[in-house]
Amino acid sequence: MTATESETRGTGELTALVRTAWADALGHDEFTDEDHFFRVGGHSLGALHVVRDLGAELGRKIPVRVLFRNPTVRGLAQALTADAPQERS
């Protein structure tokens, strides 16, 4: 996937990507979009795993602080949408 493709993804697609990254990092998918990452088994190494996987998928570096500041699936997807690089004319 190119950076341009990642820029055009909507929140729905990002939500699905975040769910997948969480499930991989947590080793389970027993959480909702409103659950707090660190209350469903997440830890700092898992957070690094999540941002690494999402960064690779989206073609950009994602600071781990984005997950710490947005510890729900929904919040993280919205933050990634808001922080997406904008196309330049």
Side-chain angles (χ1 to χ4, degrees):
M1 171 177 305
T2 67
T4 302
E5 289 171 335
S6 72
E7 291 167 8
T8 61
R9 286 189 172 188
T11 303
E13 287 182 67
L14 279 171
T15 300
L17 287 174
V18 171
R19 280 187 204 117
T20 299
W22 276 38
D24 289 346
L26 295 168
H28 67 82
D29 61 359
E30 298 172 9
F31 53 84
T32 69
D33 289 354
E34 297 303 323
D35 283 333
H36 192 287
F37 181 75
F38 298 101
R39 294 187 186 133
V40 293
H43 48 74
S44 57
L45 290 176
L48 291 171
H49 181 94
V50 168
V51 297
R52 180 197 67 207
D53 288 355
L54 289 172
E57 183 67 30
L58 297 173
R60 59 187 163 113
K61 184 176 166 74
I62 300 170
V64 72
R65 74 176 172 269
V66 175
L67 174 56
F68 281 90
R69 291 178 181 165
N70 303 280
T72 66
V73 168
R74 181 164 299 157
L76 183 55
Q78 289 172 345
L80 292 173
T81 300
D83 289 342
Q86 302 299 311
E87 284 190 51
R88 300 209 168 111
S89 327

